[in-house]
Amino acid sequence: MPTMTPQQFIARWKRVTLSERSACQQHFLDLCRLLDHPTPAEADPEGTSYTFERGVRTTEGHQGWADVWKKDHFGWEYKKKRRNLDDAYRQLLQYREDLNNPPLLVVCDMDRFEVHTNFTGTAKKVYAFDLDGLAKPDNLAVLRKLFADPQSLKPGLTAEGVTRQASEHFGGLADGLRQRGIDPHRAAHFLMKLMFCMFAEDIGLLKDKLFTRTLANTKRDPDRLATFLSQLFQAMSTGGYYGPEEILHFNGGLFADADVIALTADEIDTVALVNRFDWGSVEPSIFGTLFERTLDPAKRSQIGAHYTSREDIETLLEPVMLAPLRREWEAVRARCDKFTADGAKAKTAQTKRRKYEQRDKALRGFVERLAHVTVLDPACGSGNFLYVALHLLLTLEKEVIAYAARHQLGLFPQVRPTQLHGIEINPYAQELAQVAIWIGYLQWMRDNGFNPPRDPVLEPIESIECRDAILDPPPARGGIEGGPVPLPAFATEPEWPAAEFIVGNPPFLGGKLLRSYLGDDYVNAMFALWKGRVRPEADLCCYWFEKARRQIERGKTRRAGLLATQGIRGGANRETLKRIKETGDVFFAESDREWILNGAAVHISMIGFDDGSDESRTLDGAAVATINANLTATSDVTAARRLDAHRGVAFMGDTKGGAFDIPDHLALEMLKAPNPHGRPNSDVIVPWINGLDVTRRPRSMWIIDFDSAMTFEMVAGYESVIAHVEREVKAKRASSRSTAKEWWLHDRPRPEMRAALAPHSRFIATTTVSKHRLFVWEQAPTLPDHQLIAFARSDDYFFGILHSRVHEVWARAQGTQVRERESGFRYTPTTCFETFPFPEPSDEQRAAIATAAAELDRLRNAWLNPPEWTREEILEFPGSTDGPWQRYIDAPSPTLPADGEGVFPPPVHGGTEGGLLAQKGGTPSPDPSLEARGVTRGVVRYPRTVPTDEEHARQLARRTLTNLYNNPPTWLSLAHEKLDAAVFAAYGWDPSIGDDKLLGLLLNQNLSTQ
């Protein structure tokens, strides 16, 4: 430990009122003791390069004296307290040429410090702080660099810049070793040892540029360098000597072996290049991420990508971990203040001593308390969250030490990296986490005026484990190259270590992607193990949330703070947050925050939760009374029930699972092509829409859609159609787990949706995700894609309720925001629609809503497709009266044979209700072979709207619903106001009420609905 701590230095020099001449040299000697740096007499007894009272000549020719001078480092001028430091600086400017123009000029009045840069060809910079600010790491770092490495204070260099550049250059070494076939994990371990040597040298743990000299002396002799590095690693492992140099005992697992990889001449040059960076200035909170990308082949493409900053991580750790500890410290400090006050007023020396002893005991006790805080990151990666947690603990402990120093009690940091626990499946990251945390710890000790531990310098952080966090025994899917493998026949829930705080950033992976990324064996085992606790459709991060909840419930953890995909606020994910609130509560949340995930900018949610004991609640930076499971503070709409009356109305659309969709020109060719069995291709080709057709303009796409009741023999009769599917779909579907044998059918045809839509000539559609919640009419037999929600209703009243503000406010509260608000939110039938309570209108109110809805639709269509720019086009192609196009054929129903032999079952695509469009009629085709089998064919006449010419087509391209609602014209706003007025009247509510009150009213109606 240093012979003087910053707190002791500050306390001592706060009291000094001596003159400049009487105090300056003692002040400087105390600084040397604080910084563990030799004094002038110790380092240079002759005073030729480092001395007090350096004689100089000013630029005016007068004799002068620099109070302290260190060659090629600084000139230092003292003044009495509260004197003008500008005069001292001007004095130094007069001396500097005679001081060999040092790079730094320092002026000080024993209470204020100013370090002026004096580098040639750079902008000037002043590092200024006072005695109270001396203990801050940044200020101590300036003083250390002043004595040891003045070049690092040259303007333009930053810790983040150094970290990024050093990591990028290290990537060249990693690539070279990989190309030479070196085992990746062995190479990574070796590179970490080299990197730590560079760091240890730059912070003074390897003295006198030992590593640099080793490289310089052997750079032309790779074998000799390998021998020397092995000897150095061995000395660092046990302590001892490397040649004549005494080496500290490092150990810590990193140097448990002395394995060395012989480097090529080019690789040695790269090491020398990388060694020039100031490794002592790396930023630990991003260092692990950047270095992991350097080492891991799977992450090499992210080297230049963004990273998560310390400030971002602190946003979660401050309220989750630091806030309760700071509350404890404030209570301890208040007690200590009282002990001090009581001691000062004591009438006897014995009472005074007892009060001060009680104060000192309380302070020692709280330092001991901090030394026993444990933190777990169960998906720790390269240790960024753990490092920031350690930094926050050390900073709080330093505050306690500073308070003690002001009361003449000397304390030293007790917080250690071994208080941290981590679980990580990637061995690259697991080992790097230990190294990065120790680097950060050693930096903090140096920057804050404390010497690092000596015997050993490092300790293995055995509590950072390489294993799976949610399945035990761990699968072998992780590792350097990755890749899923079969799991054992059974798996159990792994134990997490008890820890006061759980923090971190668990992996995000949507429920639909689990099998693709993790494999069937892993997912099946995971589903079986966590059944009843995490929904199978939930994101992977929910398993970490549920496990943390269980740890709190079992009393093994006090508080947890985890990151989640924004989707945790809705759907199956939300059930995980509901479970958290059942056994505890959420006390902190950021519902929508930008984040960096694998080098990409995303939007996430931050959530802090406990057993419900924390009485304060903070949501998005504001104090609130409660935080609901959907991360809102308004009426808790997550308590709403699904209403039986709404079941079987709203459906996710069809999932095709292959290139069944076809463009307009190909569809028209196929629709007119003959088949050997005599049935028309229109039996299995219908219009197809996805979200783009709703938010932009219809693209005139079609889809091949075979009925699941058809045998393959029947399907094969549609000659050109099945040939296209076999060519474009069959190979891709061969890898399907469930439908490979029926490759001609859609992956998830949604038969319930088809049956519900069948009686209707039109239906309502909305996109699953959109910026504006838009509802549109679609005509049968159009098939909606899975990115659309289809409503099996054809009445204007229903359309009007859906497109009202009432429903939109409810749907936004129940849905899930995708990224930022501008990107829209996700609409799901179960939460957004099936929980929505409809009004109970009178006949007049129902008619008013229907009229307003029909008018809104008419006005929008007139804007989207003005008659001046469009015309009606009639498509004609063969169709069967028992197929999906029957409403567009004017023909009698066929007479089926009594035994039904040879008759294809009618596809379940179309509807039977008369269409809204005029039926143009058609003449049945007299086909004796079909008539003999009871099948009637006719001509389909299908009307659609098209531009009148190319110029109008270009103008129409800009007329989309998204563009319309981005900048709504007055007529559109008025149409919606009229609709909203009619809908609010049906509920009996005032249209001017705010969203929060509206949600409360809707929730009450939902809960009271039978």
Side-chain angles (χ1 to χ4, degrees), residues 243-450:
E245 307 289 346
E246 186 174 8
I247 304 298
L248 296 175
H249 178 197
F250 285 85
N251 194 13
L254 183 61
F255 296 100
D257 64 71
D259 180 54
V260 170
I261 297 172
L263 299 173
T264 66
D266 288 343
E267 288 167 345
I268 295 173
D269 288 340
T270 303
V271 172
L273 174 65
V274 174
N275 187 51
R276 295 173 190 165
F277 288 98
D278 178 12
W279 284 87
S281 296
V282 297
E283 172 50 56
S285 65
I286 64 172
F287 170 77
T289 296
L290 291 175
F291 205 72
E292 182 186 359
R293 293 173 187 172
T294 293
L295 297 179
D296 194 336
K299 298 185 177 182
R300 288 288 287 126
S301 62
Q302 300 172 16
I303 285 290
H306 295 288
Y307 45 80
T308 302
S309 69
R310 177 190 299 187
E311 290 74 18
D312 286 331
I313 297 173
E314 286 180 352
T315 301
L316 180 66
L317 297 192
E318 285 275 359
V320 172
M321 184 190 77
L322 199 63
L325 294 176
R326 186 165 289 284
R327 287 196 291 265
E328 291 181 41
W329 165 231
E330 289 170 355
V332 170
R333 185 170 56 191
R335 287 171 50 216
C336 290
D337 287 342
K338 189 174 187 308
F339 286 139
T340 300
D342 290 347
K345 294 184 294 185
K347 295 181 179 180
T348 67
Q350 184 179 6
T351 302
K352 181 187 293 286
R353 183 173 60 254
R354 185 174 68 253
K355 291 297 181 182
Y356 290 169
E357 287 174 349
Q358 288 175 312
R359 178 196 63 200
D360 294 351
K361 182 179 179 181
L363 291 171
R364 290 190 183 97
F366 190 70
V367 168
E368 186 70 15
R369 157 80 174 106
L370 293 178
H372 286 83
V373 170
T374 50
V375 183
L376 167 66
D377 184 344
C380 69
S382 51
N384 292 4
F385 271 75
L386 291 176
Y387 161 72
V388 176
L390 178 68
H391 185 272
L392 292 175
L393 287 175
L394 286 165
T395 301
L396 179 58
E397 185 181 39
K398 177 186 166 187
E399 188 176 325
V400 181
I401 293 172
Y403 178 92
R406 291 195 294 271
H407 295 89
Q408 289 74 52
L409 175 63
L411 298 176
F412 293 95
Q414 302 298 314
V415 170
R416 301 277 287 170
T418 48
Q419 296 170 228
L420 307 176
H421 298 262
I423 301 174
E424 172 54 42
I425 200 168
N426 186 328
Y428 271 134
Q430 181 254 352
E431 184 173 8
L432 183 57
Q434 299 185 51
V435 177
I437 288 167
W438 271 108
I439 284 178
Y441 173 74
L442 295 173
Q443 266 189 344
W444 189 94
M445 293 292 286
R446 178 200 62 172
D447 293 344
N448 288 274
F450 303 101

Side-chain angles (χ1 to χ4, degrees), residues 547-581:
K547 181 67 175 179
R549 182 206 65 81
R550 175 66 67 86
Q551 291 290 96
I552 293 172
E553 184 181 38
R554 295 166 64 191
K556 291 194 169 187
T557 291
R558 179 182 174 190
R559 291 155 74 94
L562 298 172
L563 267 61
T565 168
Q566 277 197 104
I568 200 167
R569 297 180 290 172
N573 299 328
R574 184 188 293 165
E575 299 304 311
T576 299
L577 296 187
K578 286 184 177 180
R579 284 179 62 83
I580 286 173
K581 290 181 67 66

Side-chain angles (χ1 to χ4, degrees), residues 35 115 127-130 132-145 447:
L35 301 172
V115 179
Y127 300 87
F129 48 91
D130 60 14
D132 288 331
L134 176 69
K136 292 182 179 180
D138 289 347
N139 297 332
L140 270 177
V142 169
L143 290 179
R144 291 189 181 281
K145 292 172 182 177
D447 293 344

Side-chain angles (χ1 to χ4, degrees), residues 35 89 105 226 274 277 310 334 355 478 484 526 567 578 660 669 702 808 830 832-833 910:
L35 301 172
Y89 181 59
L105 303 175
V274 174
F277 288 98
R310 177 190 299 187
K355 291 297 181 182
M526 185 173 70
K578 286 184 177 180
F660 290 93
E669 290 178 12
W702 303 69
E808 179 168 3
T830 52
C832 297
F833 172 71

Side-chain angles (χ1 to χ4, degrees), residues 555-631:
K556 291 194 169 187
T557 291
R558 179 182 174 190
R559 291 155 74 94
L562 298 172
L563 267 61
T565 168
Q566 277 197 104
I568 200 167
R569 297 180 290 172
N573 299 328
R574 184 188 293 165
E575 299 304 311
T576 299
L577 296 187
K578 286 184 177 180
R579 284 179 62 83
I580 286 173
K581 290 181 67 66
E582 288 169 2
T583 59
D585 210 347
V586 176
F587 61 81
F588 166 82
E590 288 274 338
S591 62
D592 176 13
R593 184 177 177 89
E594 289 188 356
W595 197 257
I596 301 299
L597 181 65
N598 294 330
V602 298
H603 280 249
I604 54 93
S605 297
M606 293 180 174
I607 303 166
F609 52 100
D610 65 354
D611 61 0
S613 58
D614 196 327
E615 297 180 356
S616 64
R617 304 282 183 273
T618 302
L619 174 64
D620 296 331
V624 295
T626 187
I627 300 176
N628 301 321
N630 62 351
L631 304 188

